[in-house]
Amino acid sequence: MGRRLPQIFFALSLFALVLIIAAVWQASTPSWKKYQHEYLQMEAQGEPNAVTKAAVLNTPPQIQQILLPGLQRVDRCTTCHQGVEDPTMKNAPEPFHYHQGLGPHVPSKFGCTICHGGQGLATDVKDAHGNVPFWQTPLLPADYVRASCGRCHKEGDIPGVPELTEGRRLFETEGCRGCHKLNGIGGSIGPDLSEEGASLRSPQWLEQHFLNPSAVSPGSAMPNFHFTRGQARALTYYMLSLTNADMGAYYASEPLIPSPSYGRELFVQKDCLVCHSIGGVGAKVGPDLLGVTKRHSTNWLDEQLVNPQLVYPGSSMPAFDMPATERKAVIAFLATATATDAQAIVAGKGQAPTPEDAAIAAGKLDFGRFGCAGCHGTDLQGGVPNPNAQGGEVPSLLHLASDYSKDDVLEIIRNGRVPPLANTKGPQPPLYMPAWKNLLSDEDIHQIVEFLWSKQQKSQDNW
Ligand code: HEC
Ligand code: HEC
Ligand code: HEC
Ligand code: HEC
Ligand code: HEC
Ligand code: HEC
């Protein structure tokens, strides 16, 4: 037994030494080398003979980085995510998976972090994915990655991302600007949202906040709009897309994607159906446009829109002077246009509105856009709590006509008003009526008053 002890001791020391060496090796071999090694092994499997296999396996490990001066960043994500541009890696596990659907956003020009977040320079999984205390923008969860599309594509529809269009629409119609500035326009009761997409707020925080502001920010003066989950999601997308970060000229060159829906808008606006038909619906001055993109190439159609005289000398078709993006959009629309849609366009035209109706419609738009709806409600019903104001809430605007003349109301909107206190010793109520004369022209305010008057409920004793 005694003789065995040195042997056991030796074995144990050897074991400890192996452990130490392994630990040192692991510490000095960064994880990205391990991933590159694994990737090479996968690639080598596809090689036909031992020589080429060996050549692949002997590729020295190397940090890969994409310099993106136009986006002011350097991305090293492809150091591990090696298969993003290799379609044969369609079935490979992460981080080697082929990246579908990048379209023109190729890694060499766009990198990864502009869409995904994360820490471009890091080469360790945890650091790169930004799940570390000092890094402010961890990877966006998969559900929210598409919010980033709105950092560059700021107008119109983005194919596959209806949330951004909806979020922008809600922002402009629900009165958010009454309390929030965005790019210089809006009130200052809530924080400026121009850089909300670069703030520390996580998608989950934003979404919860939209569902119930005061549950997330106790005592918040932001009303609960009773948004649906879908609406809260859409607004969250829109918030995440808001940054004023300077995108290089190329990246900012396509704020509006020439999508079919944008093309349809232009087609309606330019009244193409006064001369053309689609599948027999419309006028017969010019040819029917059903399937026109199958009869002519995109370049030919583009030429036709730039200069109808060039293709058909003596043409009665006017040159529309549309920029390239608009022409692209119209052609995209023509590729999808149907007779049913043409019917909808013809039906939608109806009669031209009267000047009064137009003023009321413009006023309604401004009421949403400039944030009146945020405090007074989209239906003018009031009711947003305003502690220690007389009445305790923002007033309804449905009975103005019984208290004021139109001119009085014009003055109130121009100059704003601080509500009288319910309890004179109590604190100022959080919400007051801002002065609008610096933001809105007299004509805008007139139109808003016309809109308000169109909604006045006749008082009971008026008969
Ligand atoms: C050191 C290697 C490494 C680097 C560097 C790296 N990743 Fe990853 N990534 C991985 C691995 C491994 C996975 C597989 C799942 C996991 O471990 O999270 C992964 C998964 C992902 C996923 C899938 C979502 C998820 O969390 O499962 C995304 C998106 C991603 N990485 C983006 C990035 C971006 C963007 C960068 C650059 C800022 C980056 N990665 C840098 C190794 C890396
Ligand atoms: C133009 C924006 C854009 C760029 C640039 C981009 N991605 Fe993606 N990526 C997306 C979208 C969108 C998805 C799909 C998310 C979803 O719905 O699952 C995605 C999915 C992924 C996934 C699958 C896991 C997941 O979260 O669903 C990984 C991994 C990934 N990207 C890594 C990268 C890497 C690495 C780069 C840089 C080489 C990169 N991406 C560049 C937009 C982008
Ligand atoms: C960093 C800015 C940036 C981001 C982020 C971005 N794009 Fe783009 N996108 C561009 C630019 C620039 C072009 C024009 C590319 C070109 O023609 O070279 C473009 C083109 C497009 C096109 C038109 C493609 C075509 O064939 O004409 C679509 C569709 C598109 N992007 C969708 C998206 C979607 C969806 C996302 C989010 C997953 C996204 N983009 C994110 C800048 C961006
Ligand atoms: C009556 C005033 C008011 C209206 C209307 C209003 N908000 Fe707010 N909002 C606030 C106040 C006050 C805060 C700060 C307290 C808090 O976090 O809730 C806030 C906070 C926020 C925040 C969090 C900002 C941050 O990072 O701290 C976002 C995002 C936001 N609002 C978006 C919106 C949107 C979008 C709308 C329109 C649907 C809207 N708000 C309408 C008053 C308002
Ligand atoms: C930040 C919240 C807020 C916004 C935004 C706001 N208001 Fe007001 N408004 C109030 C409050 C609070 C009062 C009550 C003032 C008082 O009691 O004297 C008020 C009063 C009014 C009144 C007088 C109502 C009465 O019965 O005395 C009118 C008219 C009015 N607002 C119209 C507007 C219009 C039009 C807009 C948009 C251009 C607008 N408000 C935007 C908070 C707001
Ligand atoms: C004033 C009448 C008129 C208007 C308005 C008009 N077009 Fe035309 N268009 C014509 C005529 C006529 C032709 C047939 C060729 C010719 O004589 O120029 C034509 C030809 C075309 C063609 C080629 C069709 C083919 O099969 O060869 C296209 C595409 C086209 N127009 C698209 C449009 C679009 C898109 C608009 C709206 C932006 C529009 N047109 C507005 C009269 C018009």
Side-chain angles (χ1 to χ4, degrees):
M1 183 65 193
R3 291 252 207 87
R4 279 251 190 96
L5 265 177
Q7 284 167 12
I8 291 171
F9 180 71
F10 179 72
L12 278 178
S13 322
L14 200 66
F15 183 60
L17 189 69
V18 168
L19 278 185
I20 289 166
I21 290 173
V24 169
W25 184 80
Q26 211 178 19
S28 64
T29 309
S31 63
W32 64 266
K33 286 193 180 169
K34 190 187 86 185
Y35 290 116
Q36 287 197 353
H37 184 68
E38 259 181 64
Y39 183 74
L40 291 177
Q41 281 181 323
M42 286 166 79
E43 278 212 309
Q45 276 171 12
E47 294 300 329
N49 60 55
V51 179
T52 49
K53 260 194 182 56
V56 168
L57 284 172
N58 287 333
T59 315
Q62 197 177 22
I63 288 188
Q64 303 192 347
Q65 60 182 13
I66 306 171
L67 303 175
L68 301 159
L71 294 173
Q72 294 161 353
R73 61 189 73 208
V74 175
D75 282 1
R76 292 176 164 173
C77 316
T78 47
T79 299
C80 297
H81 290 271
Q82 296 239 303
V84 279
E85 290 189 278
D86 181 353
T88 65
M89 290 290 156
K90 255 207 262 266
N91 297 318
E94 293 301 359
F96 310 123
H97 199 263
Y98 168 61
H99 203 308
Q100 270 160 335
L102 280 178
H105 316 93
V106 288
S108 61
K109 279 198 223 162
F110 286 79
C112 317
T113 54
I114 189 66
C115 289
H116 284 282
Q119 186 177 182
L121 274 171
T123 52
D124 168 82
V125 181
K126 248 177 120 182
D127 290 341
H129 292 179
N131 302 318
V132 281
F134 61 88
W135 193 254
Q136 300 185 355
T137 50
L139 284 189
L140 283 169
D143 280 359
Y144 298 93
V145 175
R146 286 180 182 80
S148 308
C149 312
R151 299 169 137 208
C152 300
H153 304 299
K154 291 179 178 295
E155 299 161 43
D157 286 346
I158 304 172
V161 200
E163 292 89 347
L164 277 168
T165 317
E166 172 68 357
R168 201 186 306 122
R169 188 188 69 76
L170 286 169
F171 188 84
E172 298 298 357
T173 54
E174 292 294 323
C176 314
R177 279 195 209 266
C179 298
H180 294 284
K181 272 201 175 49
L182 177 60
N183 300 330
I185 300 179
S188 36
I189 287 163
D192 189 325
L193 298 177
S194 309
E195 289 285 349
E196 190 64 11
S199 79
L200 300 174
R201 302 300 187 196
S202 69
Q204 295 84 349
W205 188 96
L206 288 165
E207 205 162 304
Q208 280 309 313
H209 186 262
F210 283 126
L211 288 170
N212 188 357
S214 57
V216 179
S217 295
S220 174
M222 177 155 152
N224 186 337
F225 288 81
H226 301 287
F227 287 127
T228 63
R229 285 201 167 265
Q231 290 172 323
R233 170 69 55 99
L235 279 166
T236 299
Y237 267 53
Y238 186 48
M239 292 300 116
L240 290 171
S241 78
L242 297 176
T243 100
N244 281 333
D246 191 19
M247 301 278 172
Y250 167 67
Y251 298 101
S253 68
E254 197 143 290
L256 200 149
I257 294 171
S259 62
S261 63
Y262 176 48
R264 186 183 187 277
E265 237 172 79
L266 293 165
F267 190 84
V268 172
Q269 208 183 73
K270 311 265 178 212
D271 248 348
C272 308
L273 285 181
V274 300
C275 293
H276 288 282
S277 53
I278 300 172
V281 180
K284 307 274 184 274
V285 181
D288 196 279
L289 295 177
L290 186 67
V292 70
T293 54
K294 296 199 185 92
R295 296 199 292 277
H296 297 293
S297 72
T298 305
N299 282 342
W300 188 96
L301 289 166
D302 197 57
E303 276 298 329
Q304 163 76 12
L305 290 175
V306 174
N307 187 356
Q309 299 289 336
L310 194 73
V311 187
Y312 293 109
S315 173
S316 57
M317 173 155 155
F320 284 93
D321 197 20
M322 289 188 277
T325 319
E326 295 191 359
R327 299 196 303 270
K328 230 171 152 179
V330 168
I331 295 167
F333 166 69
L334 289 176
T336 63
T338 61
T340 326
D341 198 17
Q343 243 143 16
I345 292 173
V346 173
K349 283 191 68 75
Q351 291 128 336
T354 64
E356 291 78 34
D357 288 345
I360 291 172
K364 179 174 185 189
L365 212 66
D366 280 347
F367 190 82
R369 186 157 46 199
F370 288 97
C372 321
C375 289
H376 292 287
T378 28
D379 299 321
L380 280 57
Q381 76 280 21
V384 171
N386 200 17
N388 203 32
Q390 275 177 18
E393 51 186 44
V394 179
S396 150
L397 300 180
L398 291 169
H399 307 281
L400 290 173
S402 45
D403 296 338
Y404 303 108
S405 68
K406 284 188 184 177
D407 282 342
D408 296 338
V409 172
L410 225 79
E411 279 312 301
I412 294 175
I413 298 173
R414 250 191 220 125
N415 298 319
R417 247 169 48 180
V418 178
L421 304 189
N423 167 5
T424 47
K425 302 218 171 66
Q428 278 299 320
L431 301 179
Y432 58 89
M433 171 69 186
W436 294 90
K437 59 178 173 236
N438 295 330
L439 272 177
L440 294 170
S441 69
D442 273 357
E443 191 187 344
D444 290 336
I445 299 180
H446 260 291
Q447 289 171 339
I448 291 177
V449 172
E450 288 307 324
F451 165 64
L452 294 177
W453 245 254
S454 76
K455 293 281 180 193
Q456 293 305 298
Q457 291 175 352
K458 299 268 176 323
S459 63
Q460 296 288 311
D461 48 26
N462 228 2
W463 51 286

